[in-house]
Amino acid sequence: MIFGIPLKRVNWITSSFLILTALLAFTATPWYIWNHGIDLFQASLFFFYFCATGFSITLGYHRNFSHLSFKAKWPVRLFTLIFGAAAFENAALDWCSDHRKHHKHVDHDDDPYDITKGFFHAHIGWLLFRLHPLPPMDNVADLRRDSLVMWQYRWCQWIAVTVGFILPAAMGWMYGGPQAALGAFLIAGVARVVFVQHMAFFINSLCHTIGKQPYSTKHTARDSPLMAILTYGEGYHNYHHEFQHDYRNGVKPWQFDPTKWIIWSLNKVGLTSNLRRVPEDRILLAEATEARLQLDARLSCSKTQLSDKTRELLQASHDALSNLSQIISERHQEYLRATEKHLEHSKEIIEELRHELHLAIKRLAQVPIPVHVLS
Ligand SMILES: [Zn+2]
Ligand SMILES: [Zn+2]
């Protein structure tokens, strides 16, 4: 231990890579741009790599391989494995194993990027210092049967260096000789890696720190439109932790989730299928229940500070939410029972229940949920 740093636990290769690329991105890349400028070729190459590697992590590593939230044809899987490697975030097999542990043990010791150990640990510290002994990768048996995943696992570092650094430099060379090759290496290679990596790291740090918790307060994950912009749509993290198998993170139609839009678009051209969605009534029920719980907490701890009028308003909202949660819950159960015993029920009864459920959901949508304003 030197200056409080546990030297024996330092992951030297990863630490050196993360520090060196960050140093180059903040010194050599601005130096190059200052001296040679940035033309359309360099800007386009950066943009392509920024999107290809970033979405390969969110769409490929995260929503497809970790959560199996949709099925993808081999061209999509191959593309996301190749450009996912070029994001220098390890092989998909390692990434998914860590991520599945994160969901299973969120905010506890076995969560690899446990936010309760501090912001630095969740953001990057867990990568700089390795655990002794390394936890087993015993939660990715399904992925081990995937020949493309295992091919990428074996060759990951080679693919990463070739596609992430050598290929953009070679394209730069073909475009404008050695100077353009250096520019492409520093801008589309090094600076892009640093941006994409830290945007992914934000999901583990900032997405467990800033934003609201409309679906659950059982974990630290939060929803934030700002984080969604910075993380390719992954910023609706409270929803994601509550319903991890949904292919959408921004579940409302207006929420910024380009990863969801790409999955949906690929579905339209036959490259993805079986897109998993949580039924709307379950989502609304979770929102209503959580809003009620947060109102309960608010009412019980602020009794002395609230004016009579405010308390009356909160109480009325609370009662309305309780009633509607109850109705949705009952109707949902009835609907499920009727669907199960389909043959014993006439079509009219099922239709009637579906209509009642729909009405209850509509009424809930009209009730203002004050917790969004209060929290
Ligand atoms: Zn998380
Ligand atoms: Zn996840």
Side-chain angles (χ1 to χ4, degrees):
M1 184 92 82
I2 296 178
F3 302 123
I5 299 170
L7 284 184
K8 274 191 184 161
R9 282 183 47 218
V10 172
N11 189 343
W12 290 105
I13 296 176
T14 304
S15 303
S16 311
F17 180 86
L18 290 171
I19 292 166
L20 192 68
T21 48
L23 276 176
L24 286 175
F26 286 101
T27 55
T29 308
W31 167 84
Y32 177 90
I33 295 171
W34 180 264
N35 283 294
H36 306 290
I38 182 163
D39 60 12
L40 189 63
F41 167 79
Q42 298 286 5
S44 309
L45 194 64
F46 173 86
F47 184 70
F48 168 77
Y49 263 90
F50 181 74
C51 293
T53 55
F55 285 115
S56 288
I57 296 295
T58 59
L59 184 152
Y61 277 32
H62 186 213
R63 301 194 200 182
N64 184 18
F65 293 115
S66 293
H67 292 301
L68 315 172
S69 65
F70 63 96
K71 284 201 169 97
K73 290 257 169 74
W74 72 265
V76 176
R77 287 163 48 234
L78 183 63
F79 183 93
T80 54
L81 285 169
I82 288 175
F83 283 93
F88 286 88
E89 293 184 25
N90 226 332
L93 198 68
D94 298 290
W95 200 104
C96 296
S97 177
D98 285 335
H99 192 71
R100 287 176 181 180
K101 282 177 200 148
H102 169 62
H103 275 273
K104 192 173 174 193
H105 306 288
V106 63
D107 304 328
H108 291 94
D109 256 1
D110 290 334
D111 172 0
Y113 16 95
D114 176 8
I115 190 73
T116 66
K117 291 183 182 142
F119 187 89
F120 180 78
H121 171 84
H123 189 74
I124 200 171
W126 70 282
L127 286 163
L128 303 179
F129 306 101
R130 93 178 92 211
L131 291 172
H132 281 303
L134 278 173
M137 284 168 57
D138 53 4
N139 56 354
V140 281
D142 56 321
L143 298 177
R144 286 185 195 278
R145 289 192 291 273
D146 185 322
S147 54
L148 275 181
V149 170
M150 293 314 289
W151 166 79
Q152 192 237 25
Y153 182 61
R154 271 188 292 279
W155 301 102
C156 187
Q157 310 308 335
W158 291 100
I159 302 169
V161 173
T162 310
V163 179
F165 289 149
I166 298 175
L167 189 61
M171 286 196 274
W173 189 289
M174 283 189 284
Y175 169 74
Q179 185 187 301
L182 177 67
F185 170 73
L186 288 172
I187 299 166
V190 175
R192 180 266 315 167
V193 163
V194 174
F195 274 111
V196 172
Q197 283 188 333
H198 285 274
M199 285 168 89
F201 299 165
F202 279 152
I203 301 165
N204 304 329
S205 54
L206 282 176
C207 290
H208 281 264
T209 309
I210 58 165
K212 294 187 167 138
Q213 295 176 291
Y215 301 96
S216 174
T217 37
K218 290 197 283 290
H219 44 73
T220 55
R222 282 155 192 273
D223 273 17
S224 158
L226 173 68
M227 290 316 299
I229 293 168
L230 293 177
T231 57
Y232 304 82
E234 304 273 58
Y236 299 101
H237 207 53
N238 188 255
Y239 177 80
H240 175 59
H241 268 269
E242 210 46 28
F243 302 109
Q244 58 172 299
H245 299 298
D246 197 317
Y247 85 95
R248 308 159 298 181
N249 276 17
V251 70
K252 312 285 184 203
W254 61 87
Q255 290 178 329
F256 181 81
D257 185 355
T259 304
K260 163 186 83 174
W261 299 329
I262 296 173
I263 298 168
W264 184 88
S265 305
L266 291 173
N267 178 249
K268 295 292 158 208
V269 293
L271 285 169
T272 61
S273 58
N274 296 64
L275 275 52
R276 293 167 76 177
R277 294 178 181 87
V278 175
E280 201 191 340
D281 59 302
R282 267 191 67 199
I283 299 169
L284 282 168
L285 188 58
E287 274 184 284
T289 308
E290 188 51 44
R292 210 180 63 220
L293 285 173
Q294 293 189 26
L295 269 178
D296 274 347
R298 188 87 187 176
L299 278 167
S300 64
C301 74
S302 315
K303 273 192 175 124
T304 51
Q305 299 149 19
L306 293 176
S307 68
D308 284 352
K309 208 177 165 196
T310 313
R311 190 141 20 101
E312 257 172 45
L313 186 74
L314 290 177
Q315 192 61 53
S317 299
H318 175 270
D319 294 346
L321 284 168
S322 293
N323 284 342
L324 284 168
S325 302
Q326 184 78 15
I327 292 169
I328 290 177
S329 190
E330 282 168 11
R331 292 291 174 271
H332 183 64
Q333 291 307 321
E334 275 178 51
Y335 176 68
L336 287 181
R337 279 197 293 275
T339 318
E340 270 169 24
K341 297 176 187 166
H342 193 74
L343 292 174
E344 295 162 35
H345 287 74
S346 68
K347 272 190 173 173
E348 290 86 70
I349 292 176
I350 292 179
E351 223 18 81
E352 199 183 310
L353 286 172
R354 186 183 289 156
H355 180 66
E356 277 192 54
L357 178 61
H358 189 67
L359 272 181
I361 288 170
K362 261 179 112 176
R363 282 176 62 204
L364 177 60
Q366 286 159 7
V367 172
I369 299 179
V371 74
H372 296 304
V373 186
L374 293 168
S375 58

